[in-house]
Amino acid sequence: MHPTGKRVILDTNILLLLVIGTVARDHIERFRRTRDRFEREDFDLLSDSLRHFSTLVTTPHVLTETSNLISSLHEPYLSEARRVLASFITAAEEEHTASKSLVGHHAYALFGLTDTGLADAARGGTVVLTDDAPLHAFLVGIGAETWNFNHLRD
């Protein structure tokens, strides 16, 4: 399938799956940050799902969280994961809304800074890909386009 021309932004857990799966698909089920949440086949599903979009989008908050989470990897995975994340950063469009603006958004009290940044990005028509059911429900409620990764599994 060809890209739709739509933009997609990945929630932290989904970006983490992408990074770990790219580094070592079999490590998805061993790395403590992904093993209870994802399986190897989820990486394939994510890769296939991303083909529906023409542009990857991210925020500094998602990147920071992902970078911090991969820091618990051991070598040689850590260096490779940082290289993969750097490649993602180079390829993606980074949207930045000042944190002082995000904390004024009603979503901040419910979800914190990173997810409020995702909600802010979604207002511009960017699809949010998340496995976070409460965030997904909130985004649906505000009329944002969102894909719940858990629904894609079904």
Side-chain angles (χ1 to χ4, degrees):
M1 174 163 223
H2 297 286
T4 62
K6 287 195 172 254
R7 299 159 32 101
V8 65
I9 188 165
L10 308 181
D11 196 355
T12 302
N13 289 330
I14 304 299
L15 180 54
L16 187 62
L17 171 63
L18 182 65
V19 170
I20 300 301
T22 301
V23 169
R25 192 171 171 270
D26 64 324
H27 204 61
I28 292 166
E29 295 167 351
R30 292 191 306 225
F31 180 48
R32 69 183 178 100
R33 300 290 185 171
T34 53
R35 71 177 169 222
D36 294 332
R37 187 173 293 238
F38 299 111
E39 298 174 355
R40 295 175 196 184
E41 294 78 18
D42 291 328
F43 175 72
D44 300 329
L45 176 61
L46 174 58
S47 298
D48 288 341
S49 298
L50 291 178
R51 293 186 183 136
H52 294 270
F53 301 95
S54 60
T55 306
L56 294 170
V57 179
T58 193
T59 69
H61 309 296
V62 168
L63 295 174
T64 300
E65 280 191 356
T66 304
S67 177
N68 288 341
L69 291 172
I70 65 173
S71 292
S72 64
L73 285 165
H74 299 289
E75 291 299 346
Y77 300 108
L78 177 58
S79 295
E80 183 63 13
R82 286 187 172 147
R83 185 194 66 71
V84 169
L85 182 59
S87 179
F88 175 86
I89 291 168
T90 302
E93 289 183 9
E94 187 173 348
E95 290 193 1
H96 180 267
T97 301
S99 296
K100 65 182 175 182
S101 177
L102 294 175
V103 299
H105 193 285
H106 67 282
Y108 175 73
L110 299 170
F111 299 105
L113 195 59
T114 301
D115 289 352
T116 302
L118 292 170
D120 187 66
R123 290 189 314 182
T126 300
V127 177
V128 177
L129 182 54
T130 184
D131 69 334
D132 181 333
L135 176 62
H136 173 74
F138 174 80
L139 293 170
V140 168
I142 64 170
E145 189 171 353
T146 177
W147 289 14
N148 184 327
F149 191 77
N150 297 309
H151 296 167
L152 297 179
R153 288 177 172 147
D154 300 335

